């Protein structure tokens, strides 16, 4: 809808960053601790939430829900990642 149209550019950039970090985690999974993994994923989730919440028409709850959905899709798409709680 209208809210997504306003947020799309920012969200796409953050999702691209999220995918890049997921690739980094996957490529370096043998060198990352669970704490490193959790930290990287938390940073990306927060960045996506912030990007979406910065759009006036999207509330924080909607931004958190969208970020959580993106994280779930990403984790399911990369089954080799450490599946620690986020």
């Amino acid at each position: 809808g209208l809210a997504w149209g306003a947020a799309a550019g920012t969200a796409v950039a953050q999702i691209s960053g999220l995918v890049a970090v997921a690739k980094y985690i996957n490529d370096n999974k043998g060198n990352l601790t669970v704490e490193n993994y959790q930290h990287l994923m938390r940073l990306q989730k927060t960045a996506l939430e912030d990007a979406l919440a910065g759009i006036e028409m999207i509330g924080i709850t909607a931004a958190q829900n969208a970020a959580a959905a993106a994280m779930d899709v990403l984790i399911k798409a990369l089954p080799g990642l450490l599946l620690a709680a986020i």
Side-chain angles (χ1 to χ4, degrees):
L2 181 60
W4 175 248
T10 303
V12 168
Q14 288 302 324
I15 291 168
S16 294
L18 181 62
V19 171
V21 168
K23 182 179 180 333
Y24 171 82
I25 290 170
N26 194 53
D27 291 348
N28 294 282
K29 61 187 166 196
N31 300 320
L32 294 175
T33 65
V34 171
E35 291 80 15
N36 293 141
Y37 164 78
Q38 289 175 332
H39 178 71
L40 289 170
M41 294 303 280
R42 265 194 313 271
L43 287 174
Q44 291 303 310
K45 183 177 179 185
T46 301
L48 182 56
E49 287 173 0
D50 290 348
L52 292 173
I55 306 301
E56 188 174 327
M57 291 177 277
I58 295 178
I60 189 65
T61 301
Q64 289 172 334
N65 290 342
M71 299 298 283
D72 288 343
V73 168
L74 188 61
I75 289 170
K76 289 175 186 169
L78 298 169
L81 293 178
L82 301 170
L83 296 178
I86 297 174

